[in-house]
Amino acid sequence: MLALRLTRATHPAVHLRRLLVAAAAAGTGFLLLSALGYALTHPTHSTAALLRLSWCAIPLASTVYLAVAVARTDPGAKPRSGLSAFGLGPARLMALAALNTALACALGSLLALLVFLHLRGDLTGMPFDGAAKDFLAADRSLPVPAVLTLLTVLPVLASATVALTLRPRDLPHPGTRSRIHGRFGAYDRTAKPETFGAYGRFGARFFRGPTPTTRPPLTSTQPASAPQPPLQPAGSRAAGAARVGADCTLQAPVSDTPPTPGPADHSEETPAPLPDLPATSPPGLPWGIAVLAAGLAVESYAGVTDTAPHTPLPGGLAGGPVGVLAGWALTALGLILAAPGLTHLCGRLLQAVRPGARRLLAGRVLMAEATRIGRPLGVVCAVASAAVAATALDGDAGSAPAFGPLTALGGLVVAGCTVATLATAAVEARQYRADITAALLRLGAPATVLRSAAALRTGALLVLFGPLTLLIAELAALPLAR
């Protein structure tokens, strides 16, 4: 009941993101059912049916990726103080997030089934004069086990991925840490045992070397020329009593570490809070560049080989050798791996050559959020480069790009999921630095500075990734344009 109340009390934006997951699941489920309908209509074309089903893996992966991003930004999946007493610990919240994801995907799959049955004419008659009967198998009965299997793949895969991503990582594993004896034989599990010198007076009684001495500090009422009390051994009762002055005022104990200044000492020099930078830059930039170069090399080599088997692309697009498609996959993977490092480099370049407040804030935010923003941005660039390359190939064939309805639906699902994932990652990054933004506003920073810094970050990313996406798309389309 408490979990249901937490779900109902969430912000409308959270429900909107869940509806986006349901819509993406509906589109993916309809594509899977359409592949099943094509297989039923053309029982002799098993290879073509299997190829149609394999192309559905791209919308399926995009939907799962969006579901994971939405679950990460769900406030109900984050641990809160006091919820463990009601049975909602980290493991239970992870299960709740997986359940919400499964329900959203199941809702989308059910919607896809209803639309598919409506287009087949099983509910209210055949619409559109039977124009879609080729991939709906309107004259054949649907096998119920196959339909249930295809519709349960997405909810199970999405919920399992969410549970794996949001699993508690700070729970102690039994048997991995040894029990350590603490003070006076008490059991303790701390990894850093106390040293013998931490026992204070107990160790001072058995001290055999030269006795260290301590002197009580001067007070403001005691002049420097006043006679000082005699030095006392460290750890003795006399040293403890020497902390009380002659006028019965309590003195501060002597410490080897400098005193920590209070809040009043920094009232005039309060540093502006900035995002914490990672210790090192994201390590995927060299690997991404290497995989990207390997993908372009594979495309170029496969494009000049005439004996390689050809694979048709969905929607009637110009097909190509299998090696070219493998090179496309490697190019997309390299771009995704290199995107966090490129985002970090973009933030570093923004802070070069005497930066002002806006450039410094924008650059440090990009460097701090390089992994969180860069990976979805790399996915968007990979999808955009593939779309531009496919459009350029169809345009080079001498006709305008004419995509079929299923191809348009698949492209819409993939593009919508990637863009929505990028927007969700931006929301997650904004939630992560909410305390820093609030601190800057408390210090008197105008809101226009924060908005201009955000616009500067967006412009810098567009300047870097826009031409890079177009360049990769042109290089990817060259082997098939020959």
Side-chain angles (χ1 to χ4, degrees):
M1 183 61 68
L2 180 60
L4 180 60
R5 290 182 179 180
L6 289 176
T7 303
R8 293 177 57 188
T10 53
H11 196 270
V14 179
H15 294 296
L16 179 60
R17 291 194 289 268
R18 292 174 182 171
L19 288 179
L20 288 177
V21 175
T28 304
F30 188 83
L31 291 174
L32 292 173
L33 292 178
S34 300
L36 175 62
Y38 182 85
L40 293 176
T41 308
H42 305 82
T44 58
H45 299 77
S46 58
T47 303
L50 183 61
L51 184 61
R52 281 174 173 261
L53 185 61
S54 63
W55 280 114
C56 295
I58 300 178
L60 182 65
S62 302
T63 306
V64 172
Y65 191 45
L66 175 61
V68 172
V70 169
R72 285 172 58 94
T73 58
D74 192 353
K78 297 180 180 179
R80 305 177 190 176
S81 59
L83 289 183
S84 298
F86 295 95
L88 288 178
R92 188 67 62 85
L93 291 177
M94 177 267 296
L96 180 61
L99 179 60
N100 291 333
T101 303
L103 289 178
C105 294
L107 177 62
S109 299
L110 180 60
L111 180 61
L113 179 60
L114 292 178
V115 173
F116 187 78
L117 293 178
H118 173 69
L119 293 179
R120 277 172 48 91
D122 296 338
L123 299 180
T124 58
M126 180 69 68
F128 305 113
D129 298 329
K133 65 171 58 177
D134 183 40
F135 58 88
L136 295 179
D139 53 347
R140 297 176 181 269
S141 61
L142 290 176
V144 178
V147 172
L148 294 180
T149 301
L150 291 177
L151 292 181
T152 54
V153 167
L154 180 57
V156 171
L157 187 59
S159 59
T161 307
V162 168
L164 184 63
T165 304
L166 301 182
R167 69 187 186 279
R169 294 180 174 84
D170 54 347
L171 294 179
H173 298 280
T176 58
R177 300 179 64 182
S178 60
R179 180 172 292 179
I180 302 175
H181 294 278
R183 182 177 300 179
F184 299 113
Y187 290 109
D188 190 16
R189 290 189 180 273
T190 179
K192 184 183 294 184
E194 294 181 351
T195 59
F196 184 76
Y199 289 97
R201 296 176 182 176
F202 181 79
R205 297 179 182 179
F206 299 96
F207 192 82
R208 293 291 184 264
T211 305
T213 58
T214 180
R215 185 187 298 274
L218 293 175
T219 61
S220 58
T221 59
Q222 185 178 6
S225 60
Q228 301 294 326
L231 300 177
Q232 305 294 340
S236 63
R237 297 182 181 272
R243 296 189 180 100
V244 181
D247 53 350
C248 298
T249 58
L250 184 63
Q251 309 296 329
V254 179
S255 177
D256 297 335
T257 59
T260 303
D265 298 336
H266 291 276
S267 58
E268 298 181 358
E269 299 180 359
T270 303
L274 290 174
D276 297 332
L277 297 181
T280 57
S281 60
L285 182 57
W287 291 101
I289 294 176
V291 174
L292 181 62
L296 293 177
V298 170
E299 291 178 21
S300 301
Y301 178 76
V304 298
T305 304
D306 298 332
T307 59
H310 283 60
T311 301
L313 295 177
L317 295 176
V322 179
V324 174
L325 301 182
W328 279 12
L330 288 178
T331 302
L333 179 61
L335 187 56
I336 295 172
L337 291 176
L342 292 176
T343 305
H344 189 274
L345 179 62
C346 184
R348 188 176 294 275
L349 291 178
L350 275 178
Q351 303 176 76
V353 192
R354 302 176 62 86
R358 292 177 178 84
R359 289 172 52 196
L360 182 63
L361 182 59
R364 288 181 69 91
V365 168
L366 281 182
M367 293 176 66
E369 305 293 337
T371 303
R372 186 177 286 106
I373 296 295
R375 194 63 54 84
L377 185 58
V379 175
V380 170
C381 292
V383 172
S385 62
V388 171
T391 305
L393 285 176
D394 203 67
D396 292 339
S399 61
F403 302 107
L406 295 181
T407 305
L409 177 60
L412 181 62
V413 169
V414 174
C417 287
T418 52
V419 174
T421 303
L422 179 59
T424 306
V427 172
E428 182 184 3
R430 184 178 180 181
Q431 294 175 356
Y432 180 77
R433 61 175 186 271
D435 296 338
I436 299 175
T437 304
L440 288 173
L441 293 176
R442 285 196 305 268
L443 290 176
T448 55
V449 174
L450 301 181
R451 288 194 293 266
S452 60
L456 185 60
R457 293 195 301 268
T458 305
L461 291 177
L462 288 177
V463 168
L464 177 62
F465 283 93
L468 180 62
T469 301
L470 295 178
L471 177 62
I472 293 177
E474 292 295 331
L475 293 177
L478 283 179
L480 295 181
R482 296 171 183 175

